[in-house]
Amino acid sequence: MSLLSQVEPPHRTIARLEPVVGPKRYRQLVDTTASFRQRLGHRTIWNINSTAVGGGVAEMLQALIGYTKGESIATNWTVISGDAPFFAITKRIHNQVHGAPGDGPLTSADARHYARILAANTAELIRQVKPDDIVMLHDPQTAGLITPLVELGARVVWRCHIGVDWSNEATEAAWRFLRPHLGRAHRIVFSRRQYVPEWVPQPLARIVPPSIDPFSPKNQELDEQTVRGILATIGVIDAPVPEKAGQFTRYDGTIDTVNRRAEVLCDSLPCWDDPVVVQVSRWDRLKDMDGVMQAFADHVAPSGDGHLMLVGPSVSDVADDPEGAEVYHECVAQWRGLAPAIRRRIVLVTLPLNDIEENAAMVNALQRHASIISQKSIAEGFGLTVSEGMWKGRPVVGSAVGGILDQVADGTGVLLPDPLDLEAFGTAVRRLLDNPAKTRRLGQAAHAHIREHFVGDTHLLRYATLFDELISEAAGTAQG
Ligand code: UDP
């Protein structure tokens, strides 16, 4: 059985973006696409990561690769495999890059296991990648593929979607583990300038912030009736399931209906009209779902209306996130320990991932239904959920960490300087719940800000520039 699997996002045309980004930006995208297609010639662009579903990277690849394929730019998305110890190691690296020691140090035995799993994937990859191709490797799970692919003759970019803008023992340990694998990369891409470790040679570092796609099932427009239908179907509001439930448009343009139910832990469900605070995150300690719950219980629920929904993926389904189940069950235990009057205001939701587009439509409906989006992360590489919520015209109350800082501009939400200050978080949420007019104003500004800065056309243009550089360099090397 092959270790590699291919993901085939449906093709999409960039023309769809014109009404969103306006004629000037659209023209630039069309022109760049045409000239880049020519420059790329016979080469293929490979994207390699370790999961087809769950998390921000998979979400972005679905959209961006759909557009490049739709524009006849040869692009491929390959997912590597690993065993449970491999993903436990890479999760530890992930935690340590974010400054958290996680469940212990990385050992030389870990390094050997990491290298062994990636060597097995490499054996298959080098039969498929051509010497001239461009390879974009995503995140620590793939860093061990850099050297063999460079030796094959490919131009190799390593894109790190995570990071913090400070260092401690844990971050240094993570980089010590990864550094031997990174030395041959032709470029190293980070989401923020502040994440570039000082030992990365400046000429190799590039900054490419993530983006959202306005037409994906996650972000497409849904009318109120559809939102209501989806929420009733998945079982998160107290409302009858309508005859014709919530419909959404798939990446391939077909219309489908949300049919599956979420797993919902609650004492009672909010009604349609109850204001709801929503945080959508993987069950990851750095997302601080338990902190959100405690802050809501102590500083929001006792002093007014509103419900909290903590929403994450089904814990059995995210292959490269072994801590998910543990973190979720900790949240469940914490929820059970709350006073009954508070507990009935808090709902824990896990969404099925069997159909990733249906899952996205569920997230979409939840974010659109929210009065306020919470993203109280302790560290955050970027935090696509922030842009997603803002795109839906919702203000974010979030920690002033990592990529959240780049997204929540003045007048679009509330940034809290100390991610661990539960009272400050709760007070900010309470104030917004008590002031719907302000909440609406912030939400409108939030949408405009995301349209300006974080829609996929900008992302595609940055990739075109990066790949252009690599093609020019390869041509230079060949001539020299
Ligand atoms: N997400 C999802 N279903 C879920 C939970 C999360 O589709 O049940 C998505 C979420 O909407 C976002 C991505 O997973 O698109 C998370 O990306 P983010 O950058 O916020 O965090 P990451 O998980 O990459 O750390």
Side-chain angles (χ1 to χ4, degrees), residues 54-57 59 94 98 162 218 280-282 284 287 311-314 350-351 353 356 359-360 363 367 375 380-386 388:
V57 177
E59 174 77 17
H94 176 99
H98 280 135
I162 56 179
K218 177 74 55 73
V280 178
S281 292
R282 286 178 299 104
D284 179 313
K287 307 287 183 183
V311 182
S314 163
T350 66
L351 300 177
L353 282 167
I356 195 63
N359 171 286
V363 172
Q367 289 168 331
Q375 196 61 56
E380 189 58 77
F382 183 72
L384 263 185
T385 46
V386 171
E388 290 166 3

Side-chain angles (χ1 to χ4, degrees), residues 4 29 37 61-62 79 99 106-107 132 188 197 217 231 336 393 455:
L4 306 178
L29 186 61
R37 193 187 301 109
L61 289 177
Q62 247 329 311
V79 176
L106 293 156
T107 64
D132 249 6
I188 300 186
L231 297 185
R336 290 197 196 286
V455 172

Side-chain angles (χ1 to χ4, degrees), residues 225-236:
Q225 205 192 343
T226 305
V227 169
R228 195 175 174 137
I230 293 176
L231 297 185
T233 303
I234 67 176
V236 298

Side-chain angles (χ1 to χ4, degrees), residues 12-23:
R12 286 174 317 149
T13 158
I14 56 174
R16 300 196 70 189
L17 289 168
E18 183 173 11
V20 178
V21 302

